[in-house]
Amino acid sequence: MANSKAHDLNCLTISELEALAAQRMDKQTRDYYNEGADSGSTLAENISAYQKYRIRPRVLRDISSIDTSVTVFGHKNSIPLGVAPTAMQCLAHPDGETATARACKEMGVVMGLSSFSTTSLEDVKRSLGDEHPGALQLYLFEERQKSRQLIQRAKKAGYKAVLLTVDTPVLGRRNLEIRNQFKLPKHLKIANFMQDEERDQGVDNTEKETGANESRKRSAASEAGYQEGSKRVLPSGPITFHSHAPNPKLCWDRDIEWLKQECYPEMEVWVKGIATAEDALLACHHGVDGIIVSNHGGRQLNGALATIDALPEVVDAVRSQSSKIPIHVDGGIRHGTDVFKALALGADFVWVGRPVLWGLAYKGEEGVKLCLKLLSDEIRLCMGLAGVTKVEDIGKEYLVKIDRSGFVSRL
Ligand SMILES: Cc1cc2nc3c(=O)[nH]c(=O)nc-3n(C[C@H](O)[C@H](O)[C@H](O)COP(=O)(O)O)c2cc1C
Ligand SMILES: CC(C)CC(=O)C(=O)O
């Protein structure tokens, strides 16, 4: 019989965690975290697309010793899964990103930190500790100096990689966020930019609008004669995600080279938000260190392909190159079997976003640990039952695809 003491009997699955978290978050936070862009169909398909695949288990293979560990950013990770960068974690729990970092450290799992965190990158790195790897997610600002400062701080703090988010030239449309007039509560701050704000404005910004209100101000600015396009006018208020996360001018030639020069040799440069073979090839040609296949958890272009469906073309493109960079994937991963399927389709590693936020909302650091433990146990169990003892042995021979009529085909 399973040892009940080792379990939280209220929460044995990520979907139970989602339900428990929903009870603990206020409406604004729950909607901000959980929604996708527009109708949310890409968000839903990120999850449901995993059902098209089934596992072909092998038996009689001595699985008494299973190693779930992999190397990421030059460090050993206990499972082939990391915590995806998600903004403003103090909305979920007062300990926010600090709790996530402590849980990651304890579980041996890499943490991706959003540039738009509510805890500074230095404080998060202190919670991760010297030895434990962190990756800073980056929105490359039009004001290069601000990005340069952030990169230098990340280097100094000991981050191993930057993850340049490339799927946000403009922000996707999130209707609940607009309807709720999303606003970061006054006691919270977008911590990485506090010094910038104070220096730029010579005041302590007490009103930290982050969402629809700021958007409305920008519309008013456009109506007042500012033209976006040839010369973009950035609002003079605080750095908010509506003013600073999107960068419509971001492009391969100029920006990737610049970023590599700024980050090397201390930090690797990855692009997060690749969804096609064409862009995967461009990423290879521009010499990035790795790719994350992502559609931002269905929060950007609704109608885009589910990430597990985009993965095979990206894998084929990268494998056609002589220097094969690692491929990671995120979006819709809610169970260890999803991780197994993504790896079987050619991913080297996966990242999870919302389930970690749910863990945080449920019980802070303990809740994030619970989330990572559930996924970790499921990965190990899936490997054992499929007859695989090493992550690198998970290949497409372990999968079949089922079409709508139930027809099963080998990959
Ligand atoms: C509430 C929330 C905030 C996010 N913030 C960021 C961010 O600041 N930067 C970024 O690159 N991606 C961000 N993402 C996207 C995640 O990094 C990741 O791509 C996505 O959550 C994966 O999908 P999943 O939530 O289904 O696991 C965010 C996602 C959510 C749900
Ligand atoms: C734009 C952000 C700061 C956060 C984000 O990426 C998101 O909410 O999806």
Side-chain angles (χ1 to χ4, degrees), residues 186 188-189 193-194 196-209 236-239:
K186 285 210 168 99
L188 300 180
K189 57 188 189 307
F193 306 115
M194 283 313 286
D196 292 347
E197 285 182 18
E198 282 159 17
R199 193 189 45 244
D200 289 355
Q201 296 172 26
V203 289
D204 175 21
N205 281 296
T206 45
E207 188 167 52
K208 297 171 190 82
E209 289 169 291
S236 59
I239 291 184

Side-chain angles (χ1 to χ4, degrees), residues 234-267:
L234 292 167
S236 59
I239 291 184
T240 72
F241 69 76
H242 277 262
S243 68
H244 278 72
N247 181 348
K249 292 186 179 159
L250 208 62
C251 65
W252 287 106
D253 285 335
R254 191 187 46 228
D255 297 316
I256 301 296
E257 206 39 56
W258 181 86
L259 190 57
K260 287 187 343 193
Q261 277 171 21
E262 294 293 322
C263 293
Y264 287 171
E266 292 90 342
M267 297 192 292

Side-chain angles (χ1 to χ4, degrees), residues 311-342:
L311 178 66
E313 68 173 86
V314 171
V315 169
D316 287 347
V318 172
R319 286 192 182 150
S320 73
Q321 300 299 293
S322 49
S323 60
K324 294 175 187 53
I325 55 174
I327 303 166
H328 295 186
V329 66
D330 75 16
I333 289 159
R334 302 290 181 264
H335 196 277
T337 50
D338 299 336
V339 180
F340 186 93
K341 290 174 185 178

Side-chain angles (χ1 to χ4, degrees), residues 1-16:
M1 206 173 98
N3 175 8
S4 62
K5 282 209 181 110
H7 298 282
D8 175 341
L9 298 180
N10 294 314
C11 185
L12 297 174
T13 65
I14 296 296
S15 51
E16 286 179 355

Side-chain angles (χ1 to χ4, degrees), residues 110-353:
V110 64
M111 175 171 176
L113 177 69
S114 168
S115 287
F116 284 78
S117 52
T118 35
T119 312
S120 75
L121 64 89
E122 287 85 1
D123 285 347
V124 171
K125 190 66 189 70
R126 264 189 286 279
S127 299
L128 284 173
D130 289 343
E131 299 306 316
H132 194 76
L136 179 69
Q137 174 273 330
L138 209 65
Y139 287 111
L140 208 52
F141 300 151
E142 283 181 53
E143 300 121 308
R144 279 304 145 90
Q145 197 48 28
K146 286 200 196 313
S147 292
R148 176 171 283 144
Q149 283 163 3
L150 209 59
I151 292 165
Q152 283 169 355
R153 283 171 55 194
K155 270 189 195 175
K156 196 166 165 219
Y159 284 81
K160 295 291 170 209
V162 296
L163 314 177
L164 176 68
T165 299
V166 293
D167 55 16
T168 51
V170 289
L171 273 189
R173 180 169 173 109
R174 296 130 190 214
N175 287 326
L176 295 179
E177 187 194 306
I178 296 171
R179 192 162 291 127
N180 292 337
Q181 302 188 24
F182 180 93
K183 202 167 172 182
L184 196 60
K186 285 210 168 99
H187 68 283
L188 300 180
K189 57 188 189 307
I190 302 294
N192 289 327
F193 306 115
M194 283 313 286
Q195 297 146 333
D196 292 347
E197 285 182 18
E198 282 159 17
R199 193 189 45 244
D200 289 355
Q201 296 172 26
V203 289
D204 175 21
N205 281 296
T206 45
E207 188 167 52
K208 297 171 190 82
E209 289 169 291
T210 60
N213 286 353
E214 181 63 22
S215 225
R216 272 200 301 279
K217 264 204 216 158
R218 295 184 70 200
S219 313
S222 323
E223 279 158 25
Y226 294 107
Q227 285 300 313
E228 299 209 358
S230 56
K231 187 166 188 333
R232 217 162 78 92
V233 179
L234 292 167
S236 59
I239 291 184
T240 72
F241 69 76
H242 277 262
S243 68
H244 278 72
N247 181 348
K249 292 186 179 159
L250 208 62
C251 65
W252 287 106
D253 285 335
R254 191 187 46 228
D255 297 316
I256 301 296
E257 206 39 56
W258 181 86
L259 190 57
K260 287 187 343 193
Q261 277 171 21
E262 294 293 322
C263 293
Y264 287 171
E266 292 90 342
M267 297 192 292
E268 295 183 13
V269 173
W270 285 58
V271 283
K272 172 177 182 286
I274 298 291
T276 61
E278 293 90 323
D279 283 336
L281 286 176
L282 282 166
C284 294
H285 292 156
H286 286 275
V288 301
D289 296 290
I291 289 177
I292 304 181
V293 176
S294 175
N295 55 31
H296 215 105
R299 296 162 75 79
Q300 284 296 104
L301 177 61
N302 194 51
L305 208 56
T307 46
I308 197 66
D309 290 333
L311 178 66
E313 68 173 86
V314 171
V315 169
D316 287 347
V318 172
R319 286 192 182 150
S320 73
Q321 300 299 293
S322 49
S323 60
K324 294 175 187 53
I325 55 174
I327 303 166
H328 295 186
V329 66
D330 75 16
I333 289 159
R334 302 290 181 264
H335 196 277
T337 50
D338 299 336
V339 180
F340 186 93
K341 290 174 185 178
L343 267 49
L345 286 169
D348 297 293
F349 192 83
V350 309
W351 299 79
V352 291

